[in-house]
Amino acid sequence: MEKVIIIRYSELHLKGKNRGWFERVFAVNMEKSLKGIRHEIHRHSGRYLIENFSENDIDVITERLGKVFGIHSYSVALKVRADMNEIFNAAKQVCSAEGSFKVDTHRADKSFSLNSMQVSAEIGGRLLDNIPSIKVDVHNPDFIINIDIRENGTALVFNEFFNGAGGMPVGTSGKGMLLISGGIDSPVAGHMIAKRGMKIECIHFHSYPYTNLQAREKVIELAKQLSTYTCGTTLNIVSVTKIQEQIHSLCNGDYMVTLLRRFMMRIAERIALKCGAQCLITGESLAQVASQTVEGMTSSNNVVQNLPVLRPLCGFDKDEIIERSRAIGTYQTSIEPYEDCCTVFLPKHPVTRPKLSDVIAEEAKLDVEALVDEAVATLETITL
Ligand code: ATP
Ligand code: MG
């Protein structure tokens, strides 16, 4: 008797002609997530089966698979020969000691000597004879013993379904560039878009030496945590020190954040286009802070010429974002106290509803193109 893991996938069935491609991407992503752990992955009638692993690795395997988008649910099952005695022994092992139950049999092998109903009745009867505190309830059972008789002479027996991460396999919805700060929101935004199947690259802006190296390490750590859901990622790091200094010395300081955002968007778009990313992603949430007004978004959107800007958190409350951040495991890192560049030269009274014409007038005091070029030249890329 061997333990195996049955993987059921989410929305792949929606994809008609592309189904084969989706499944291949999905299988590769599972392989990547299980790198370094002995296992085999086999496709089997609209599901995948993970086999030949050490039982000691089950927890780490299920933990890693819990981060693979596209998995709808999974079950740890016992694999036995398709023989009624062996099936019964497996059923006995997965059966609870008390409560009501039913047996559900699925028979892919139509040549098996008994039909599904007969298998369920026979195994159910034998369980009742052997385990005194259980009873049958076919309408509202406490637990279900599932038996899957396969075409290759084996049967799978299991009683639990665990939820997978849901969503679509990463790599089936193109590629996006996530503007990642050291805060709570942007990793959550990246996670949400990756869940819809998008591959994620990250870009981070720093103002070293005004920001410190711990702030940088923090962002690397966040990108690394995100990469466990996104089948790896690349972190692009760009210095905006010169830009902030120039804004500080030449422009109305109240426009610091507004102008800096426009530079970030320009640089992010430039690098996104270079690496084939098809959109920008930010962690903005409407009205969360002074700069996240619709006027602020108008101002930053205005400089992005070719790509859509996705703001998946726009409709979320901070509480909801924090809850997600905890669930994906980035929260503790995000709340470390190191400051990012938006806090450098922070004005006392930042404009909250910037008028685009005023923003453009302030920006006209700067040599925008030269500053963008100079910033892009500081690009450093880390593969995670
Ligand atoms: P976060 O929690 O993601 O930092 P926030 O609530 O602090 O978001 P802001 O600081 O206003 O909000 O930033 C809004 C968005 O702008 C961020 O979610 C991120 O996408 C982007 N951003 C801000 N600062 C940086 C930075 N230093 N590098 C890259 N992107 C940034
Ligand atoms: Mg922030």
Side-chain angles (χ1 to χ4, degrees):
M1 204 177 299
E2 175 197 344
K3 279 196 179 161
V4 300
I5 299 171
I6 304 167
I7 304 285
R8 302 173 197 87
Y9 35 85
S10 308
E11 298 177 37
L12 304 196
H13 60 277
L14 298 176
K15 294 297 167 185
K17 269 195 266 174
N18 281 337
R19 187 182 169 130
W21 172 64
F22 269 70
E23 288 176 343
R24 276 194 299 281
V25 175
F26 181 50
V28 168
N29 291 354
M30 283 195 290
E31 285 291 2
K32 275 191 194 159
S33 88
L34 297 181
K35 210 170 146 194
I37 302 173
R38 178 171 64 83
H39 71 280
E40 284 171 26
I41 297 182
H42 299 288
R43 229 179 79 79
H44 126 80
S45 55
R47 299 166 192 190
Y48 285 87
L49 215 55
I50 306 200
E51 300 179 82
N52 285 325
F53 49 81
S54 154
E55 283 199 21
N56 298 331
D57 288 336
I58 282 198
D59 288 347
V60 50
I61 291 175
T62 53
E63 190 202 319
R64 292 206 201 163
L65 291 176
K67 295 180 168 186
V68 176
F69 293 126
I71 296 182
H72 174 69
S73 72
Y74 66 89
S75 298
V76 178
L78 293 171
K79 185 173 104 175
V80 294
R81 274 196 312 126
D83 163 275
M84 288 302 280
N85 287 332
E86 290 205 19
I87 292 172
F88 168 63
N89 282 333
K92 214 163 53 175
Q93 281 206 23
V94 303
C95 189
S96 304
E98 55 185 19
S100 61
F101 80 107
K102 73 170 180 174
V103 180
D104 237 353
T105 304
H106 173 81
R107 192 180 60 141
D109 176 8
K110 302 294 178 203
S111 70
F112 191 71
S113 56
L114 304 176
N115 68 27
S116 304
M117 299 281 278
Q118 290 166 327
V119 172
S120 295
E122 163 89 21
I123 298 294
R126 287 211 224 171
L127 287 170
L128 280 175
D129 291 344
N130 273 265
I131 306 175
S133 315
I134 58 172
K135 61 177 198 291
V136 171
D137 180 347
V138 291
H139 298 298
N140 192 20
D142 296 329
F143 63 94
I144 300 174
I145 306 277
N146 297 275
I147 300 171
D148 190 356
I149 298 174
R150 304 167 71 207
E151 277 151 336
N152 64 356
T154 64
L156 304 176
V157 181
F158 57 96
N159 73 338
E160 280 187 296
F161 288 74
F162 299 99
N163 286 333
M168 311 291 287
V170 168
T172 59
S173 299
K175 181 154 88 170
M177 179 64 76
L178 171 69
L179 283 81
I180 189 168
S181 68
I184 295 168
D185 304 346
S186 35
V188 175
H191 179 267
M192 281 181 73
I193 296 299
K195 182 172 180 180
R196 297 308 304 157
M198 185 165 267
K199 222 174 149 30
I200 303 288
E201 284 217 15
C202 301
I203 185 163
H204 175 68
F205 301 97
H206 68 87
S207 298
Y208 186 79
Y210 301 105
T211 55
N212 59 27
L213 288 173
Q214 283 147 309
R216 171 195 162 96
E217 287 309 310
K218 176 184 177 183
V219 171
I220 294 174
E221 180 57 29
L222 285 172
K224 208 182 278 176
Q225 288 165 355
L226 184 62
S227 77
T228 61
Y229 296 92
T230 59
C231 305
T233 189
T234 303
L235 175 60
N236 299 279
I237 301 182
V238 172
S239 168
V240 288
T241 308
K242 178 81 183 287
I243 292 171
Q244 289 203 270
E245 286 170 345
Q246 291 271 305
I247 296 172
H248 182 65
S249 61
L250 299 174
C251 306
N252 175 346
D254 293 347
Y255 284 82
M256 173 58 78
V257 177
T258 309
L259 293 177
L260 181 59
R261 275 293 133 71
R262 284 164 62 91
F263 277 98
M264 287 184 180
M265 292 302 230
R266 287 189 181 96
I267 298 164
E269 184 179 35
R270 175 101 65 97
I271 294 170
L273 291 171
K274 222 185 263 177
C275 71
Q278 300 150 292
C279 64
L280 304 183
I281 305 159
T282 78
E284 287 161 298
S285 159
L286 189 62
Q288 189 190 92
V289 293
S291 62
Q292 295 179 12
T293 56
V294 71
E295 292 84 354
M297 292 177 197
T298 304
S299 159
S300 58
N301 246 27
N302 176 255
V303 297
V304 186
Q305 288 175 337
N306 294 295
L307 301 179
V309 180
L310 306 186
R311 297 179 171 89
L313 303 182
C314 238
F316 283 107
D317 292 344
K318 193 74 188 183
D319 292 350
E320 295 169 301
I321 300 171
I322 289 175
E323 196 179 312
R324 279 170 185 256
S325 164
R326 286 188 201 278
I328 67 174
T330 51
Y331 183 72
Q332 284 307 324
T333 307
S334 285
I335 60 172
E336 286 174 7
Y338 314 114
E339 305 295 356
D340 82 356
C341 61
C342 297
T343 54
V344 178
F345 306 119
L346 206 61
K348 276 215 180 68
H349 306 287
V351 280
T352 55
R353 302 185 185 285
K355 226 170 98 188
L356 192 54
S357 53
D358 295 343
V359 176
I360 290 170
E362 276 310 312
E363 201 176 63
K365 301 171 184 169
L366 304 167
D367 186 344
V368 172
E369 275 313 301
L371 284 169
V372 169
D373 286 344
E374 227 178 293
V376 169
T378 69
L379 172 66
E380 181 196 346
T381 301
I382 304 175
T383 303
L384 300 167

